[in-house]
Amino acid sequence: ISNRRLAKKGLFKTVEPMNAEASFKANNQVDGVDEQNTIVSDGKYIFVGERDNIIVLDLNGSVVANVSLPAPLEQKNKTAWQYITSVSIDDNILTVLANIYWYDYFWSQDSSTRAFIYQVNFAAKNLERLTLVKEFDLLPACTNAHCNIEKSSYFDSRSTGRYTYAFNILSQGYGHMWEDRRCSEFKNLTATEYEQVALELLSVDAEKDADEIVNALTVGVDRETQLCKDVRKIPEDIFASVTEYDRLSFLHVTLFVYNKTLNSVQVDTFAVPFRSYNSPVIHTTKNSTLIALPYQNGDTTSPLKYDVSGTKFTFKAVGSISGVISSVIDYYNGYYRIVSYQQIYVLKEKESHLQIVGQLKDFSTGEYVNSVKFVADKGVVQINTFDDKTGESKVSWKLVNLLDPTQPQFVKTKLSLSMDIAAYPIEGGKYIVTFSQLNNANGTGITVQLLQVTPGGIKLLHNKAESILLESKPGGFSSTYSDISYRIPAFRYLPQSQTVVVPVHAYGYDDFYNYTSVDGFLVYHVDLEMGVTYVRNVTQSSNGCTYLPEQSMDISGNLFTFMNGAIKKTSLANPLSAENWEVKVGCSYY
């Protein structure tokens, strides 16, 4: 719906942003730890990883650098293809991670992960603005024709300044993870001993045996003098016990940092096994990483805690909980908060144990946790309820009080609210913004409301914003969704101007199955006393052939939005300014 038409009807107001407000870092789960992303900014330039290209734009929309990654090494009778999975910027060092695949007769034969480190100098000419200083493998391709290694599509990464983590999963095969094992805490163990200890690590008795396991894995570590040439095969009896529904997989973890003075890279790596189709969940800080590994097809999950000093991993503690956990692990005031499908666990590290010190399992029959977000001593839990009789599923939410971490409790409330899209805490957890679908006779859109968290419960503030994005068609169907339901960096809150920005998609069919859609970013003003007011819709076009992760940035009062294959700048103070611009990226192969 046209912003000009809404303006004439007085349905939105302009909110003047405060001077010099800047919010261009991604909305991450941990402060100071950037999650995997292919769009980053240093406040002066925007860096985009698009397929195998690095595109750099200034704040005026001009492309100041466009560099292709070096071509993968050629292999006989194979075609290599690579794409960028992660981009991070620290000072003038740009770190790029890319997954590389080799295809042979339309079958994927192998894959690898490669790191590229560039030095940024925008005072130089175009071709010299990004200079490749280092290139190396994080997960080398298998060169042995009989290694039979299978690598899943799972990839994740974290960045803490110049330190970069990369996480890959390898399944049912033998190859370089054993070479990496010889460089890790397990290097003094034989292959058989390693398998025995590693599988014990993931057993239901892990907490009881924690001291013995940690001692076994940290004896005689001497990475500096170890020559990592001893490649060992996974024992055949391990594979003999693997069935179609009980796979043996490995999480391969790498941490590296580039030393600009020495022009060298320091690397440490390890691999740990698990048996499940479910993916691990990672929690990383500047000084530690916690890995929750599913085991026995999701019946149990083993949290493994590693301390990090420089680029050195030290295995510290292990625990065990029931069930498969959700996609978030949180750490606050010395406690880990982990949520499974039907339980909330609070764990604390005590010597080599990750002990369960608090637990909440007051879920009704048929209730399953869909997602959770923690802020300080509060948690917002989104719940799916499935009715076995009708086969219907509905979405609701609960607020968790973790003021006493040993006794987590649900906050009682009589409010009946929908937040089937998402809910995000703001202002240090004192308020919660909820998002739900709006479907009525007029069309489809989104409803946004503001909750205030008080010592006595939750208060619903008066003003709510209902935005119809797509008008309904007779006999047709329409719906609205947003990436904020599963991707935290898609949500943006600007605390100085109290502005919320979220990506949305509305689509529909008429009775002849003709398709229409509206894509864009909705902007809201948050009044902490009254509630939420709709400001405007920043519509976004598409080039139809390039995917950009949906997110937004604010730099000096200008909103930069990313969706499909377009990047757009919009002045928050003057949305019709002639200085606004939109740039499409990609599609170079058309």
Side-chain angles (χ1 to χ4, degrees), residues 334-353:
Y335 294 91
Y336 287 102
R337 287 91 70 96
I338 300 178
V339 181
S340 71
Y341 283 159
Q342 283 193 304
Q343 297 188 63
I344 297 176
Y345 295 92
V346 181
L347 287 78
K348 188 173 181 63
E349 182 180 353
K350 294 183 179 179
E351 297 178 348
S352 54
H353 298 242

Side-chain angles (χ1 to χ4, degrees), residues 158 160 163-165 167 185 223 253-257 266-270 282-291 304-316 336 349:
R158 300 287 189 274
T160 59
Y163 289 85
T164 302
Y165 292 85
F167 305 93
E185 297 86 22
R223 300 180 184 85
V253 184
T254 306
L255 173 64
F256 67 90
V257 62
Q266 295 172 281
V267 182
D268 196 12
T269 184
F270 67 89
I282 311 296
H283 180 275
T284 301
T285 70
K286 289 186 175 182
N287 301 312
S288 69
T289 186
L290 185 77
I291 302 166
L304 315 179
K305 197 245 181 169
Y306 292 80
D307 280 355
V308 179
S309 177
T311 54
K312 302 301 181 185
F313 289 107
T314 303
F315 180 60
K316 297 294 292 184
Y336 287 102
E349 182 180 353

Side-chain angles (χ1 to χ4, degrees), residues 56 63-67 121-131:
V56 187
V63 175
V64 297
N66 190 343
V67 176
N121 180 13
F122 288 112
K125 295 181 179 179
N126 183 51
L127 295 179
E128 300 173 349
R129 287 173 174 168
L130 292 180
T131 303

